[in-house]
Amino acid sequence: MFRSPAVPRVRKRSRPAESAVPGRQEVKFEDVRLYLVERKMGSSRRSFLTQLARSKGFIVDDTLSDVVTHVVSEDSQASSLWTWLKGRALKNLPAMHVLDISWFTDSMKEGRPVAVETRHLIQDALPKMTPPTPVARISQYACQRRTTTENNNKIFTDAFEVLAETYEFNEIEGPCLAFRRAASVLKSLPWAVRCLGATEDLPCLGEHSKAVMEEILQHGQSFEVEKILSDERYQTLKLFTSVFGVGPKTAEKWYRRGMRSFSDVLTEPDVRLNRMQQTGFLHYGDISRAVSKPEARALGNIIDEAVHAITSDAIVALTGGFRRGKEFGHDVDFIVSTPQEGKEEGLLTAVIGRLKHQGIVLYCDYQASTFDISKLPSHRFEAMDHFAKCFLILRLEDSQVEGGLSRAEGDRRSWRAVRVDLVSPPMDRYAFTLLGWTGSRQFERDLRRYARMERRMLLDNHALYDKTKKEFLAATTEKDIFAHLGLEYIEPWQRNA
Ligand code: CTP
Ligand code: MN
Ligand code: MN
């Protein structure tokens, strides 16, 4: 390999490691952070090169971390170097320059970091653009994909969500669903889409979705999305529907009557707010702020304590987004039940009574059970389930939360309002309820669609029905349901579709 005379190979032992401890040298190139790979280079040569670079104003890190921008190696065996690098658990590896020593010698000669050229690169045998799994294997059904909370394609999925929302506001269902499906596919990818070619074999991406992606890839944003975001109607409907109890219909009505802001709504004499909306406005700041994991845990303790004070053999299970491992949620969802048949509804009302007695119920919308096993199976999809449930707003004290409440800067209140959902199915419906309430919404939609289209089965939060055999399929765990459907089991934290 060519070596510049500016970087002489020093003889072993001629420079003990201690001598490499840098003095205070002026940093000239703040945006560049080098790491020299010791393998093949040897420790004494590495120390020498480190000192040399530092004396010329370069930052050289002793350890390889995500802040490093340039990795320099004398290892000509690209594959072993890349195997080693990939084993370092680096998030930022794709963004790092992995360079041959020639880049280093050139830079030392020039006394500045030279531009990275192709000849400097130590190429990974597998090009970066290649998705790690063959794309052909990605299913059109979210229930056959594993989707964690890590979204590598947020720039696209955020844009799709805006588009889906605007179609939802206009009650155009087809394109709305299409954008939600497209977003869901991109969320499942363990890699970021960097060119449109990479989407070729992905399911659920139509012409429109791809056109939006192309704009984002080329210009960093989609003009169609930007136009929607600056649209007054969209902004107003978005604002109004962010209030607890205000759906698209009410928001539209207010918009049509010329209202544009909360104060417009609150000062309009003809507007009658229902109890839910009144509470929504009253606690707007708290409820629109995300609930953190420690807050969810604190609420779990409160519900747990209340339930067990009533029946010792009762069960409380965390469900919803927090069961899927999300760090934040818009509420906290729990299933409350008891093995004592027919006692689950009474348990729920007793729990609510106890919470009220504690003075922590700010709002409670209780819905009694309308569950009737003889009415199964339900042919209505996305229909609400019939179990006893309640939508609550509870008062959570700062002292109850490990590490304290997550508060806005300067907020000194000792409590906050939090949305909590409780559902109380009979114990033999527990697995279906748990699966249904764990979500995500898109995962549930696709579970039902898959059951119907691929298995001739009907699934909802109550039961699974086989239309071919004309019978219900029993399940005590979620795994049983996946097995009945002939699906590989997907863990809750892989259901963030
Ligand atoms: N769900 C349901 N029936 C209801 C209410 C909710 O089946 N009456 C389901 C939803 O389909 C969803 C899950 O319960 O899959 C959780 O709902 P929700 O709390 O709205 O969403 P999360 O996924 O928990 O998201 P977030 O963290 O924002 O609360
Ligand atoms: Mn939730
Ligand atoms: Mn909920």
Side-chain angles (χ1 to χ4, degrees):
M1 180 187 286
F2 164 81
R3 272 182 224 295
S4 156
V7 192
R9 178 171 274 281
V10 287
R11 245 183 266 118
K12 285 235 154 82
R13 268 181 277 116
S14 64
R15 267 170 204 269
E18 298 84 79
S19 72
V21 174
R24 287 213 131 241
Q25 281 134 341
E26 191 199 345
V27 172
K28 285 192 197 150
F29 316 108
E30 301 214 323
D31 301 336
V32 174
R33 217 167 243 279
L34 310 189
Y35 174 80
L36 306 181
V37 180
E38 188 166 307
R39 289 155 43 96
K40 294 284 152 88
M41 191 180 282
S43 69
S44 53
R45 179 164 162 80
R46 180 174 182 241
S47 303
F48 172 73
L49 296 181
T50 299
Q51 258 202 321
L52 176 72
R54 284 178 181 157
S55 72
K56 289 181 185 284
F58 286 76
I59 303 171
V60 185
D61 279 5
D62 292 324
T63 54
L64 180 54
S65 72
D66 279 315
V67 296
V68 166
T69 58
H70 293 61
V71 176
V72 175
S73 172
E74 274 191 319
D75 194 346
S76 52
Q77 289 259 284
S79 65
S80 65
L81 173 69
W82 273 96
T83 309
W84 180 79
L85 286 171
K86 284 174 187 170
R88 312 324 295 166
L90 295 164
K91 281 207 190 84
N92 210 19
L93 185 59
M96 290 178 195
H97 297 294
V98 179
L99 303 166
D100 184 68
I101 193 77
S102 61
W103 177 85
F104 185 87
T105 51
D106 288 356
S107 300
M108 292 307 115
K109 260 194 281 181
E110 298 276 330
R112 61 174 176 87
V114 298
V116 172
E117 292 170 30
T118 321
R119 65 188 173 90
H120 298 132
L121 295 175
I122 303 181
Q123 302 270 12
D124 187 2
L126 289 171
K128 274 184 210 165
M129 298 283 181
T130 306
T133 45
V135 286
R137 268 201 253 133
I138 295 176
S139 168
Q140 62 149 311
Y141 296 107
C143 56
Q144 289 188 305
R145 304 189 294 254
R146 294 171 202 275
T147 313
T148 65
T149 53
E150 188 182 312
N151 179 0
N152 297 300
N153 291 287
K154 200 165 179 300
I155 46 166
F156 308 115
T157 59
D158 283 352
F160 288 176
E161 187 47 45
V162 172
L163 289 157
E165 234 166 7
T166 191
Y167 281 111
E168 195 167 37
F169 287 149
N170 293 314
E171 293 180 88
I172 307 173
E173 206 180 351
C176 169
L177 206 60
F179 279 115
R180 294 243 155 88
R181 273 192 199 151
S184 179
V185 167
L186 294 185
K187 281 184 191 172
S188 76
L189 302 178
W191 42 278
V193 173
R194 294 212 176 83
C195 65
L196 211 57
T199 66
E200 221 161 78
D201 298 319
L202 295 178
C204 309
L205 290 175
E207 291 302 312
H208 197 169
S209 304
K210 286 188 180 172
V212 172
M213 291 179 77
E214 187 156 29
E215 273 192 315
I216 295 172
L217 285 166
Q218 275 182 11
H219 310 287
Q221 62 182 40
S222 150
F223 298 106
E224 191 184 355
V225 172
E226 292 305 307
K227 211 172 127 216
I228 296 167
L229 288 173
S230 61
D231 176 64
E232 192 189 37
R233 179 164 174 271
Y234 173 83
Q235 288 176 356
T236 312
L237 296 182
K238 186 93 182 131
L239 177 73
F240 289 167
T241 54
S242 74
V243 179
F244 178 59
V246 180
K249 291 247 153 62
T250 308
E252 177 72 32
K253 197 172 71 194
W254 291 347
Y255 178 78
R256 287 228 181 118
R257 289 169 56 182
M259 293 169 246
R260 296 292 180 268
S261 65
F262 288 168
S263 67
D264 287 349
V265 174
L266 296 170
T267 55
E268 170 66 52
D270 290 345
V271 168
R272 290 223 165 264
L273 297 177
N274 62 29
R275 199 171 58 91
M276 198 180 196
Q277 294 159 349
Q278 284 171 22
T279 318
F281 277 111
L282 188 61
H283 298 291
Y284 183 78
D286 278 353
I287 305 173
S288 56
R289 207 171 56 250
V291 184
S292 71
K293 240 185 202 174
E295 288 169 343
R297 238 178 276 131
L299 287 158
N301 295 336
I302 291 168
I303 304 298
D304 219 55
E305 192 273 329
V307 168
H308 289 109
I310 294 154
T311 337
S312 61
D313 63 357
I315 59 130
V316 176
L318 176 70
T319 176
F322 284 106
R323 182 164 184 251
R324 301 197 308 274
K326 276 176 58 175
E327 288 295 326
F328 295 97
H330 97 284
D331 69 357
V332 196
D333 308 278
F334 297 99
I335 300 178
V336 168
S337 192
T338 163
Q340 299 174 48
E341 235 184 286
K343 292 276 162 62
E344 61 285 338
E345 188 164 15
L347 172 66
L348 184 59
T349 50
V351 168
I352 297 166
R354 196 179 158 85
L355 298 174
K356 280 185 176 163
H357 186 74
Q358 290 172 3
I360 62 169
V361 177
L362 299 170
Y363 174 84
C364 174
D365 173 11
Y366 173 74
Q367 301 188 352
S369 170
T370 52
F371 180 60
D372 180 352
I373 197 122
S374 66
K375 293 235 176 79
L376 292 177
S378 166
H379 287 260
R380 285 177 47 212
F381 282 70
E382 309 237 340
M384 285 273 244
D385 60 56
H386 297 281
F387 305 126
K389 62 175 78 67
C390 64
F391 306 109
L392 297 165
I393 296 175
L394 297 183
R395 183 188 158 104
L396 182 64
E397 298 295 328
D398 181 61
S399 58
Q400 293 170 305
V401 182
E402 200 188 320
L405 288 170
S406 59
R407 270 178 297 209
E409 277 261 313
D411 181 359
R412 294 226 169 69
R413 286 158 62 230
S414 65
W415 65 277
R416 71 167 284 187
V418 202
R419 279 269 301 111
V420 174
D421 288 344
L422 304 179
V423 60
S424 193
M427 210 51 174
D428 64 337
R429 305 288 111 200
Y430 176 77
F432 297 103
T433 315
L434 183 62
L435 181 60
W437 278 68
T438 297
S440 69
R441 218 147 251 178
Q442 196 59 33
F443 190 88
E444 302 300 327
R445 273 190 202 120
D446 276 4
L447 262 179
R448 286 161 208 209
R449 191 163 64 96
Y450 177 87
R452 192 164 40 107
M453 306 299 284
E454 307 293 329
R455 303 284 165 192
R456 280 186 42 84
M457 291 182 189
L458 294 172
L459 173 72
D460 64 15
N461 287 4
H462 314 100
L464 178 62
Y465 181 75
D466 187 327
K467 292 206 281 185
T468 312
K469 292 189 195 157
K470 294 193 168 59
E471 65 181 27
F472 286 103
L473 305 173
T476 52
T477 65
E478 289 181 317
K479 283 197 173 118
D480 296 341
I481 304 169
F482 280 91
H484 284 315
L485 291 168
L487 285 170
E488 265 181 55
Y489 181 65
I490 308 284
E491 300 281 353
W493 50 272
Q494 298 169 328
R495 298 182 204 161
N496 290 286

